[in-house]
Amino acid sequence: MNQAPNVVIIGAGIVGANLADELAVRGWANTTVVEQGPLHLAGGSTFHAPGLVFQTNPSKSMTEFAGYTVEKLLSLTKDGVSCFNQVGGLEIATTPARLEELARRHGFATSWGLESRLVDAAECKRLHPLLDEDVVLGGFLVPSDGLASAARAVQLLIEKSTAAGVRFLGDTTVTGIEQAGGKVTGVRIGDDTVIEADIVVSCAGFWGPAIGDMIGMRVPLLPLAHQYVTTDALPELAGHNQGSNGASLPILRHQDKDLYYREHGDRIGIGSYAHHPMPVDLDSLAKVPSENMSEHEMPSRLDFTEEDFLPSWEDSKVLLPALGGVSIEDGFNGIFSFTPDGGPLVGAAPQLEGFYVAEAVWVTHSAGIARAVAELLIDGQSSVSLHEGEVTRFEPVQTTKDYISETSQQNFVEIYDIRHPLEPRTSPRDLRSAPFRARLEELGAFFLESAGWERPHWFEANRQLLQVLPDQWRSPARDSWSGRFHSEISAAEAWRTRTAAAMYDMTPLKRLEVTGPGALALLQRLSTGNIAKKPGAVTYCLLLNTDGGIRSDVTIARLGEERFQLGVNSNIDLDYFTVQARRQAAADPGAWAHVSDITGATCCIGLWGPLAREVMAKASGDDFSNESLRYFRSKEVVIGGIPVTAMRLSYVGELGWELYASAETGQRLWDVLFAAGAKHGIIAAGRGAFNSLRLEKGYRLWGTDMTPEHHPFESGLGFSIAKDKTGFVGAQAVEVLRNKPSARALRCLTINDGTSMVLGKEPVYVDGAPAGYVTSAAYGYTVRTPLAYAWLPASMMEGDQVEIEYFGRRIPATVAADPLFDPKMERLRG
């Protein structure tokens, strides 16, 4: 058995201590944990965190991380007392909108397998007698939520890990990260001491950006102060919590006022997000000597600004009238970590082999993410998908200091807001746009935002088409929630795409170029497809983890013997290919490959529809016949004098091409195509129509319909694995999975009443019991019914009946054929 590598963990808070333990229980005890403060009271967020653990999250992964944290802290005991007090979690509504939101959260919990229930005002009062029942409309209860004793857990984890051989160094400052040959070699502490390391994991919390700076890595995290107070003793709680670990009432969230509550014996603790954001400059933090460190004196505990809390104090007295008889005994502004999208930062640093981060992780998810990182280090991947928390998920424009600051503060303000899944940022906007943005605006584009890109969802210029839109293409009226960020114009755009021709802005599709003598070998090794075809071939394939889970799906066009263009999903893919290319070149210098992001230097227009060939005949002198450019082939053409790479692909299920050109020629390319299509009824169409058309065709969206927790066969993507191909990442797992029955499958559903809409993540019931969840949903304009894709038991067959729960209402649906539109691919190949 190989000796475990030398691991150095920076930070002995709740994440670092958990990680040390998770490594030790897996046999990796050759670990050193370095902490700049005293081990008994490190001074980070862990040691002033209020410890409330509400597990429910729109993210399946985050809910699972929280569930494991609860499980582990319950098992972590000393003297018969665990580190988790499972008093339950109660979220209350004081507005009708919040009451509906709680029903949606109940749906999330059910989808992810978390026991919960909706309760009326009387039940809220029974559960938490301090509430004013007349103020409350209802609530959402999760019995397994509760209070984490984070500081105590750290001490017990340190004891446990130390006994297993882990070394902890307190009062020790990290001053540098040592490296050689692109790999981490150690951690410098003080002036001249180096701890040798094969792996370094930064669990430094809000100090994470400073550690990242040591290797030239921008960690997109902003430290922000958050107010917390403790009241005087309440007579109503006198003697109430003796022997109950300081609390017996459910932890409480009053999100309509950005507040939460917990008991501290006979006192109430109140946390507030209602104040203005308070960014913290790390250089300004007081240096507290170890001997002076205490629960009330530590770098992360700032002076209380009472004037900021007073409105929340008044709101608290309305909800909990008993507070009217007491005062605030103690208050402070504690530092927590916020990120541009509110998620954690986890994973490997692409620029330095062996360096990892686990930052912006709150107590709620601490043990779960620590386990995930331990699995990542030892097994190469986590058993729970980390894709939503990957540190490399942000685009370069999203890692600037200004962007991190503005968006992190915005997330603080909106932390309890009711957010629609399509709701865009209001600021910053207009960071990334197609080169023909002016033309999109002239057509009245309604833009939503993703990864900094402005993406048109429909065009007001097409509203006039509603006057001639055939009745069978019109969709039924939507409820207020599913109707947000939706326009009836999308129906007209779908109609024109299916019956004439439409142009789509596909510029935000992330594009990579891979070149060099090792390019083919790299792509063959990482993908499931056979890339060793003649130039001009385009291949749809998957990137797998070693267990066969889908880490991404990509299209790979071979443009030359050593030149390939890739359509990928995100910056995570760019870093994956870059790191793998570097490793390949290190093993064989002659097999080098260069990976570059060409997205910003290029643009893409999707020209699709049954009349697309007629449009192209007027725009170009090149041959676009089926014989000249077959489905899933590419060639270099000239359109209106512009060099263009045309790929015969379609994500909407219609004849047409993805047309790629350099960015400086983008506007002319748009103009030439739009003019050429004028007499054929061409329009610009947006993402609203696009999403409907792609679901009718059964096309999957990675990160939504499938993630690393799913394998190709249960996802309906077994066709993307080249026959007889071996040696690619995940190949051994594929051979096992190919012949192993799966317990689940991604199924297409149609809504029985033909009118009710869902949006995604809703629970699906089979025979009255929750059995799966919706991934994607849309109204199918061509098939004339709302449709959805959902993970269900593999035993579910076409024609079987299910129910989808939407805001507490059960909507009957039917398992349908997949795909619903053009299953023989006749329109695409014609």
Side-chain angles (χ1 to χ4, degrees):
M1 182 177 178
N2 295 331
Q3 183 179 351
N6 294 320
V7 179
V8 174
I9 299 171
I10 301 173
I14 192 67
V15 180
N18 261 303
L19 177 56
D21 176 66
E22 293 290 334
L23 291 174
V25 298
R26 289 167 173 77
W28 279 28
N30 197 14
T31 300
T32 300
V33 182
V34 180
E35 171 54 53
Q36 67 176 345
L39 292 177
H40 74 282
L41 200 67
S45 300
T46 296
F47 293 85
H48 61 66
L52 287 77
V53 175
F54 289 95
Q55 297 167 82
T56 307
N57 194 289
S59 163
K60 183 174 186 286
S61 291
M62 296 302 284
T63 301
E64 291 175 346
F65 290 141
Y68 180 74
T69 300
V70 169
E71 177 186 328
K72 183 170 183 179
L73 294 182
L74 278 171
S75 69
L76 195 61
T77 64
K78 187 172 184 179
D79 299 327
V81 179
S82 84
C83 291
F84 194 77
N85 186 4
Q86 205 159 36
V87 293
L90 179 63
E91 302 179 31
I92 57 97
T94 59
T95 64
R98 182 66 61 182
L99 195 62
E100 287 198 339
E101 172 69 1
L102 295 186
R104 191 166 72 106
R105 290 180 61 76
H106 173 57
F108 293 149
T110 306
S111 290
W112 315 145
L114 184 63
E115 180 190 349
S116 67
R117 70 177 191 269
L118 296 171
V119 295
D120 61 18
E123 179 71 356
C124 290
K125 176 70 172 179
R126 188 191 68 79
L127 291 166
H128 202 297
L130 297 184
L131 285 170
D132 183 349
E133 184 179 349
D134 293 335
V135 174
V136 177
L137 300 180
F140 167 58
L141 177 70
V142 177
S144 57
D145 287 346
L147 289 163
S149 300
R152 182 169 179 267
V154 167
Q155 298 309 307
L156 296 187
L157 288 166
I158 289 175
E159 291 179 17
K160 182 184 176 190
S161 299
T162 300
V166 175
R167 181 173 60 146
F168 285 82
L169 301 178
D171 298 312
T172 302
T173 301
V174 172
T175 55
I177 306 297
E178 301 295 303
Q179 53 184 290
K183 296 183 179 180
V184 70
T185 60
V187 172
R188 181 173 294 277
I189 55 175
D191 295 329
D192 54 8
T193 301
V194 174
I195 306 172
E196 293 185 0
D198 304 299
I199 295 172
V200 174
V201 186
S202 177
C203 302
F206 57 78
W207 280 285
I211 302 298
D213 287 345
M214 295 178 183
I215 66 163
M217 177 186 187
R218 180 162 286 166
V219 177
L221 175 160
L222 181 72
L224 286 164
H226 161 61
Q227 291 196 300
Y228 190 80
V229 307
T230 307
T231 70
D232 292 327
L234 275 71
E236 291 83 353
L237 294 179
H240 183 66
N241 290 311
Q242 293 179 358
S244 61
N245 203 18
S248 56
L249 298 179
I251 55 175
L252 188 64
R253 266 210 289 222
H254 182 17
Q255 290 154 301
D256 287 321
K257 294 296 183 180
D258 297 315
L259 293 164
Y260 62 82
Y261 307 87
R262 60 155 295 178
E263 293 172 285
H264 293 281
D266 57 2
R267 290 160 168 77
I268 294 290
I270 309 171
S272 171
Y273 293 102
H275 55 83
H276 62 92
M278 303 176 184
V280 176
D281 179 5
L282 295 182
D283 293 334
S284 69
L285 294 183
K287 303 296 188 290
V288 182
S290 294
E291 61 273 16
N292 295 338
M293 195 89 77
S294 71
E295 181 182 346
H296 296 278
E297 186 73 19
M298 60 178 67
S300 60
R301 183 181 163 117
L302 308 181
D303 291 340
F304 183 56
T305 52
E306 184 178 15
E307 64 278 9
D308 293 311
F309 188 78
L310 289 179
S312 293
W313 179 237
E314 295 304 314
D315 289 332
S316 296
K317 288 188 286 187
V318 172
L319 183 71
L320 306 173
L323 296 180
V326 298
S327 301
I328 296 173
E329 182 180 68
D330 179 49
F332 65 94
N333 293 359
I335 303 176
F336 289 90
S337 302
F338 282 78
T339 62
D341 63 2
L345 305 172
V346 187
Q351 59 269 75
L352 181 61
E353 194 91 13
F355 188 91
Y356 295 78
V357 301
E359 312 287 21
V361 181
W362 291 12
V363 171
T364 299
H365 311 103
S366 55
I369 285 184
R371 179 183 64 173
V373 174
E375 292 171 338
L376 183 64
L377 298 181
I378 297 172
D379 305 325
Q381 62 194 71
S382 165
S383 58
V384 175
S385 177
L386 281 169
H387 70 282
E388 293 166 308
E390 281 274 1
V391 67
T392 59
R393 66 188 181 273
F394 297 106
E395 296 289 325
V397 73
Q398 296 175 293
T399 61
T400 65
K401 185 176 180 179
D402 288 347
Y403 186 94
I404 295 168
S405 177
E406 180 176 350
T407 56
S408 296
Q409 291 184 61
Q410 187 178 71
N411 281 326
F412 179 93
V413 172
E414 297 175 347
I415 192 166
Y416 284 164
D417 285 4
I418 300 171
R419 301 279 296 175
H420 192 276
L422 292 178
E423 189 167 348
R425 296 188 183 282
T426 56
S427 179
R429 292 293 295 267
D430 299 321
L431 293 174
R432 310 170 83 186
S433 296
F436 38 82
R437 165 74 178 270
R439 298 297 184 256
L440 304 180
E441 289 182 331
E442 289 167 4
L443 293 169
F446 178 85
F447 292 102
L448 297 182
E449 178 268 346
S450 178
W453 282 104
E454 297 297 322
R455 305 172 75 171
H457 272 241
W458 66 82
F459 292 86
E460 285 297 323
N462 295 326
R463 186 172 293 279
Q464 61 186 354
L465 293 177
L466 295 175
Q467 299 173 17
V468 295
L469 180 67
D471 288 341
Q472 64 267 31
W473 283 87
R474 299 180 188 275
S475 60
R478 298 188 176 207
D479 66 278
S480 61
W481 184 254
S482 67
R484 292 187 68 189
F485 307 105
H486 163 77
S487 171
E488 58 184 344
I489 295 172
S490 293
E493 294 177 357
W495 169 56
R496 274 296 174 88
T497 306
R498 289 276 191 245
T499 60
M503 292 165 57
Y504 288 81
D505 174 16
M506 301 301 292
T507 303
L509 172 69
K510 194 170 184 68
R511 295 175 289 286
L512 310 181
E513 186 175 73
V514 182
T515 58
L520 176 60
L522 177 73
L523 299 176
Q524 282 285 79
R525 178 170 58 85
L526 298 183
S527 76
T528 62
N530 179 19
I531 315 303
K533 301 173 183 175
K534 295 180 180 179
V538 183
T539 306
Y540 172 81
C541 48
L542 306 176
L543 308 180
L544 302 181
N545 287 323
T546 55
D547 70 347
I550 303 170
R551 68 172 297 134
S552 191
D553 67 337
V554 300
T555 55
I556 302 177
R558 189 171 194 179
L559 303 182
E561 289 296 327
E562 296 184 356
R563 177 173 169 246
F564 300 82
Q565 181 173 311
L566 280 60
V568 301
N569 283 297
S570 72
N571 204 61
I572 298 172
D573 295 330
L574 167 63
D575 286 313
Y576 177 63
F577 281 112
T578 301
V579 169
Q580 292 295 325
R582 187 169 63 229
R583 290 176 181 173
Q584 179 173 291
D588 180 1
W592 63 268
H594 180 68
V595 181
S596 57
D597 182 354
I598 61 171
T599 312
T602 57
C603 66
C604 179
I605 297 172
L607 172 62
W608 295 307
L611 300 183
R613 197 168 273 137
E614 283 81 348
V615 175
M616 198 60 81
K618 186 172 178 61
S620 173
D622 284 285
D623 186 357
F624 282 84
S625 68
N626 197 45
E627 293 73 22
S628 177
L629 185 54
R630 299 191 308 275
Y631 187 53
F632 263 83
R633 297 285 297 176
S634 71
K635 72 174 184 179
E636 302 301 319
V637 299
V638 176
I639 300 175
I642 300 167
V644 173
T645 299
M647 296 187 192
R648 180 82 182 275
L649 308 174
S650 173
Y651 207 49
V652 299
E654 292 293 337
L655 166 70
W657 307 270
E658 290 179 359
L659 305 171
Y660 297 92
S662 60
E664 76 268 15
T665 61
Q667 182 164 304
R668 174 167 172 78
L669 177 62
W670 180 276
D671 289 345
V672 168
L673 291 171
F674 207 74
K679 73 173 185 177
H680 300 293
I682 200 168
I683 63 165
R687 301 294 294 190
F690 181 91
N691 191 51
S692 169
L693 299 174
R694 73 101 179 164
L695 279 180
E696 291 180 334
K697 196 69 185 70
Y699 289 146
R700 277 65 166 148
L701 178 62
W702 186 86
T704 300
D705 296 314
M706 72 282 192
T707 71
E709 74 171 277
H710 305 113
H711 67 69
F713 304 105
E714 63 188 2
S715 304
L717 297 173
F719 68 88
S720 66
I721 302 172
K723 293 180 179 179
D724 302 322
K725 183 179 181 182
T726 60
F728 59 90
V729 175
Q732 290 182 330
V734 161
E735 289 310 304
V736 174
L737 294 168
R738 191 190 304 274
N739 302 306
K740 181 181 179 181
S742 179
R744 62 189 176 185
L746 189 62
R747 298 290 193 221
C748 179
L749 303 177
T750 54
I751 306 301
N752 291 358
D753 64 15
T755 60
S756 297
M757 288 295 303
V758 299
L759 294 181
K761 300 188 178 181
E762 296 89 355
V764 181
Y765 288 74
V766 176
D767 296 329
Y773 59 91
V774 173
T775 58
S776 295
Y779 185 83
Y781 298 107
T782 317
V783 298
R784 293 147 175 75
T785 188
L787 54 93
Y789 274 77
W791 283 101
L792 291 171
S795 59
M796 300 297 294
M797 304 300 291
E798 187 176 338
D800 287 347
Q801 299 299 299
V802 300
E803 292 179 307
I804 304 172
E805 185 175 278
Y806 179 72
F807 287 95
R809 179 170 65 94
R810 299 284 178 89
I811 300 173
T814 302
V815 179
D818 179 20
L820 290 170
F821 180 77
D822 190 25
K824 295 182 180 181
M825 307 284 281
E826 294 170 342
R827 296 174 74 100
L828 280 170
R829 299 182 186 277

